[in-house]
Amino acid sequence: MTAIANFLGAQIFQTSVLIAAPLLLAALGELVVERAGVINMAIEGVMTLGAAVGFVVIFGFHLTHSLLVLGVIAAGTSTALLGALYAWRIVYRNANQITTGIAVLIFDLGLAGVVYRLSVGPGASLPNIPQLGNVALPRLSAIPFLGPVLFDQNVFVYAVLLSSGPIVFLLFRTPLGLRLRASGENPKAVDSLGWPVLRYRFWAVVIGSTLVGIAGSFVPLCITGGFGDQTINGRGWLALLLVIFARWRPSRIFLGALLFAYVESLQFHLAVTAHSVPPSLLEAAPYVLAILALATVRGAYSAPSALGLPYEREARF
Amino acid sequence: MTQREAGLRVIGKEQPSDPTEPASNASSDAKDGRIHLNMPMRYAIAVTCALALLCIPLAALGRNPLYAYWEILSTSVGSKASIGETLNRWTPLLLGGSAVAIGMRAGLVNLGVDGQIYLGGIAATFVALHVGSMPAFLAVAATLLAGLGGGALYGLIPGLLRAFRGVNELFVTVMLNFVGLYLVTYLTSTVWNDPLSGAAVSKIIPSRATLPPILLGEAHIGVLIAISLTVGAHLWISRTKRGFELRAVGSNASAARYGGVPVNLVVVASLVAGGAFAGLAGAIEVSGVYQRLHPQITVNYGLMAVLIAFVAKQNLLAVIPVSLVTAMLLIGTQSLQLSAKLPANAVLMFQGVIVLAVLSQQRSRQQKPRQALRGSGATRR
C-alpha cells in the first residue's frame, strides 16, 4: 500500500500540479507564438530572464504578500520588451528564426545572471525570497483527493488555471485567433484578405514572451525560492518540446504538462521514501522522457504549415 | 524539392556558388542599391557596435569602459601565465566550435556539445582511473581515445534518431545535455567520489594519465591536438569525396539523395564526428586541466561553441581565430569579475550581443519555403 501511496498519493499530485503550472503557462506562450508561424527558440533564456527579474525585484525591494505581484509584472514587462526586439528582428527584418533565437537565448541567459549578481552582490550566499503560501479554498478543498490536488494550491496556480481558459478561447474561438492561426498556416492568404500578417506575428511573439517570462518568474516564487544556474534548468526547453509533443493542441498540452511535472515531482517523493534510487538519476528522468517522447510521437505533420518561415510579400513561392 | 524533404536544412546558409553574386563585392553597389561591404569589414563594424553598446553596463558598474577593454586584452595575452590559460580555454572552445560547425555543414544543429563533453569526460575518467602501470604515453592516448569514443557514442543517439526516426537533432541534443550533467553528478557523488572534497568531485586521476605540458608548464598539449584536428577536419570536408557528400547533404538533402549520397549515413556520421570532437574536449579538460571529473568541466562551452560556429559561418578554418577571440574574452572577463565585480554570466551577454550584431550584418537572404523545424521525412526514403 505504501508503494502505491508513493506513486499515486494526493501529495505527489499536489506537487505535480504546482510544478505543472509554470510549464503550462510557458507552453501556452510558446503555442501562441508557434501558431502564428514563428518559433521562439529563446524560450529557455526568456524564462530564465523572467525568473531573474522577478526574483531581483522582489528581493531588492523586500516585497511581501500582495506586493509580490509587482515582481511578476516586472518580469513580464522586461521579457515583453526583449521579445519586441527579437520579434522586430525576425518578423520585420526576416532574420533566421533559429540562429537569432539561439543568440538571443544565450544573451538572455547572460543578462539574467548579470541582473541577479548586480542586485544580490558577489559572494557565495544565495538568498531566498518569501514563498507564495497555499490558499485552501473553503469547501472545495475538502473533496477527497481532488481537494488537496486542485484546491489547496497557491494563488499562482489558480491564476494559471483560470487564465489558460481565456488564452485558449482567444486563440481558437475568436476571429482574431483564427487570423492569428491562419498567419501561421498560410500567411499569403491572410495577407490577400488585407489582414496584417506581420503585425499578428509581432504581437504573438511579444505576448508569448510575456507569458513565458511570467511563467519563469513563478519558478523562484513558488518552487525553488532562490535563483541560480539550475533554477529554470531546461523547463523552457521542456515547454517548447511539450508544444511539439502535443501537436499544437492545448488539451494535449495540459496533459503533457501534468505528465512531465509528475515525473519531475517523483524525485522529491522517491528521494525521501526510496533510498535505493540515486536522486541525481531521478532528476534526469524528465529529460529522458522527453527524448523518448520525441522518438515515439510523430507530430510533425500537424505543425503550422508556415512554422519557422519568414513571410515576405514579394517572395514568389 | 518537396516541402517535406526540405526539412534537413535548418540553418539558412550562405551558398558559396551563387552565380548571381560576385564572390567578393567590396564596397560595390549591388543591384538592390545597397552598399555591400566585404565580410571582414562588416564583422569589424558589428564588433565595434557591440563593444560600444557594452560600454553602457560597464559604465553602470562604475568602470571606465575603455580601461575595462584594455584589461580584457592585457589579462588574456599580457603574460606567459595568462597566455597559457588562454590556450587552455581555447582548446575546448575550438573543438566544440568545430563539432558544431561539422554538424552545420550537413545542415544539422548540434546544441549538445556540453553533454558530449560530459560523456567524453566520463569515459576518459573511467579509463584514466584504470590505467594501472601502463606507460605514460599509452595511458594518455587511451584516456583521450576513450573521451573521443564517449563523445562519439553520445553523438550517435541524436544521429540515429534523426536518420531513422526523423527526430529533430536540436531538441535531442539539448535534452542529452541535462542527462549528461546528471550522469556526471551521479558518478562524481557516488562511485568515483573523492570523500575529502565534500562535493560532487571525482578522485584525482593518476599523473601518468595527465596531458604533457607545453610553454614551460603554463599550458597543455591539447591545444596542438585541437588545431591539428580542426585543420584535418577542414581538409576532410573540403577535399575528400565523403566531405563533399557531407556538404551536399547540407545544401540540399533531396538532391544529394538523388545523386546517390547515403544521406542517413552522412547525417549519423556528422553528428558522431561532432560528438567525438566534443568528447575529446571533455577528455582534455579532465586529463589536462582539472585531473578529475566534476560538473563544472564545461562552463557553457556548448552554447559558446554554437555562437562560434555561427560567427565563423560553419567554416572550420574560421573557427580557429573566432574561438581564440572567444577564449580571450572568457579569460579577460574573468579578471573583470574580480576587479570590476562583473558577474560571471556577463561573458554570455557579451557574446550574445556580439553575435547578434554579426548576424544582423550577415545579409538576410530570402529563405526558401522549407519546413524549418520538421525532422520527419527529410532523411527517409
Side-chain angles (χ1 to χ4, degrees), chain B residues 192-223:
Chain B
W192 295 333
N193 183 248
D194 181 2
L196 297 178
S197 69
V201 173
S202 81
K203 288 175 281 207
I204 292 188
I205 61 170
S207 60
R208 67 178 69 245
T210 57
L211 282 184
I214 55 170
L215 213 78
L216 295 172
E218 303 287 357
H220 57 69
I221 201 166
V223 65

Side-chain angles (χ1 to χ4, degrees), chain A residues 39 41 96 98-99 106-107 110-111 113 117-118 233-234 241 244 278 280 283 291 294-295 298 300 303-304 309-310, chain B residues 10 12 61 165 167 170-171 174 176 178 182 186 303 307 310 343 345-346 349 353 360 364 366-367 370 373-374 376:
Chain A
I39 183 143
M41 290 298 293
N96 184 298
I98 294 172
T99 44
I106 293 169
F107 171 77
L111 186 63
R117 271 293 157 209
L118 285 186
N233 210 13
L241 293 182
I244 296 173
S280 43
E283 281 178 72
I291 295 171
L294 271 176
R298 321 234 356 146
L309 303 176
Chain B
V10 178
L61 280 165
R165 297 288 309 169
V167 181
L170 201 158
F171 301 127
V174 167
L176 285 176
F178 294 101
Y182 289 117
Y186 168 66
L303 294 178
L307 294 186
F310 282 166
N345 280 10
M349 197 179 84
V353 169
S360 67
S364 55
Q366 183 183 314
Q367 291 171 322
R370 57 172 174 255
L373 271 174
R374 302 220 191 149
S376 62

Side-chain angles (χ1 to χ4, degrees), chain A:
Chain A
M1 272 317 281
T2 49
I4 295 173
N6 281 343
F7 284 101
L8 295 173
Q11 215 182 0
I12 193 163
F13 280 103
Q14 197 182 9
T15 322
S16 303
V17 170
L18 172 68
I19 292 176
L23 206 55
L24 175 65
L25 190 62
L28 285 178
E30 181 73 21
L31 180 73
V32 171
V33 177
E34 292 200 10
R35 278 289 187 158
V38 178
I39 183 143
N40 184 3
M41 290 298 293
I43 178 169
E44 172 86 4
V46 175
M47 216 171 158
T48 311
L49 187 67
V53 170
F55 179 91
V56 160
V57 168
I58 291 169
F59 174 78
F61 295 105
H62 305 289
L63 301 179
T64 47
H65 306 300
S66 56
L67 284 178
L68 287 176
V69 74
L70 289 180
V72 178
I73 291 172
T77 318
S78 60
T79 51
L81 287 176
L82 275 172
L85 208 63
Y86 172 57
W88 173 72
R89 286 284 325 151
I90 58 176
V91 173
Y92 288 108
R93 307 288 305 176
N94 291 339
N96 184 298
Q97 296 184 4
I98 294 172
T99 44
T100 312
I102 292 174
V104 170
L105 156 76
I106 293 169
F107 171 77
D108 283 355
L109 286 179
L111 186 63
V114 170
V115 165
Y116 174 74
R117 271 293 157 209
L118 285 186
S119 82
V120 174
S125 75
L126 297 171
N128 278 346
I129 51 173
Q131 299 272 80
L132 275 184
N134 280 8
V135 181
L137 298 184
R139 301 278 179 93
L140 286 174
S141 59
I143 305 171
F145 189 76
L146 275 185
V149 171
L150 283 179
F151 303 112
D152 186 13
Q153 296 282 1
N154 61 44
V155 185
F156 166 54
V157 177
Y158 298 137
V160 169
L161 290 177
L162 286 180
S163 64
S164 58
I167 294 172
V168 172
F169 182 82
L170 205 69
L171 196 55
F172 289 89
R173 291 283 180 272
T174 61
L176 179 72
L178 180 68
R179 297 198 287 264
L180 191 99
R181 284 181 292 134
S183 357
E185 297 284 354
N186 192 341
K188 196 126 208 163
V190 178
D191 198 21
S192 69
L193 288 172
W195 300 110
V197 175
L198 298 186
R199 205 179 299 160
Y200 287 142
R201 288 189 165 183
F202 178 86
W203 285 107
V205 175
V206 173
I207 291 167
S209 298
T210 315
L211 292 179
V212 171
I214 289 174
S217 75
F218 277 116
V219 175
L221 197 58
C222 302
I223 302 176
T224 58
F227 179 81
D229 288 340
Q230 310 263 308
T231 302
I232 297 302
N233 210 13
R235 284 177 218 273
W237 288 113
L238 284 181
L240 175 54
L241 293 182
L242 205 55
V243 177
I244 296 173
F245 302 147
R247 305 184 193 182
W248 296 267
R249 300 283 169 76
S251 56
R252 295 184 184 140
I253 288 179
F254 278 90
L255 291 176
L258 260 182
L259 176 67
F260 274 94
Y262 176 75
V263 172
E264 197 186 330
S265 54
L266 275 182
Q267 60 175 286
F268 299 115
H269 291 268
L270 287 194
V272 183
T273 52
H275 297 286
S276 53
V277 190
S280 43
L281 291 189
L282 273 179
E283 281 178 72
Y287 312 107
V288 177
L289 178 72
I291 295 171
L292 291 179
L294 271 176
T296 48
V297 175
R298 321 234 356 146
Y301 300 108
S302 36
S305 305
L307 180 62
L309 303 176
Y311 176 65
E312 285 167 282
R313 269 197 162 162
E314 291 87 359
R316 280 172 293 154
F317 286 163

Side-chain angles (χ1 to χ4, degrees), chain B residues 103-170:
Chain B
M104 279 185 190
R105 289 311 281 269
L108 303 165
V109 187
N110 177 3
L111 224 66
V113 166
D114 280 324
Q116 289 147 7
I117 287 180
Y118 280 133
L119 259 282
I122 289 174
T125 313
F126 176 78
V127 168
L129 288 174
H130 292 87
V131 287
S133 57
M134 224 184 259
F137 171 74
L138 277 180
V140 169
T143 306
L144 293 186
L145 281 178
L148 202 86
L153 276 179
Y154 220 44
L156 191 63
I157 301 172
L160 290 178
L161 284 176
R162 170 84 206 204
F164 297 106
R165 297 288 309 169
V167 181
N168 193 293
E169 74 291 341
L170 201 158

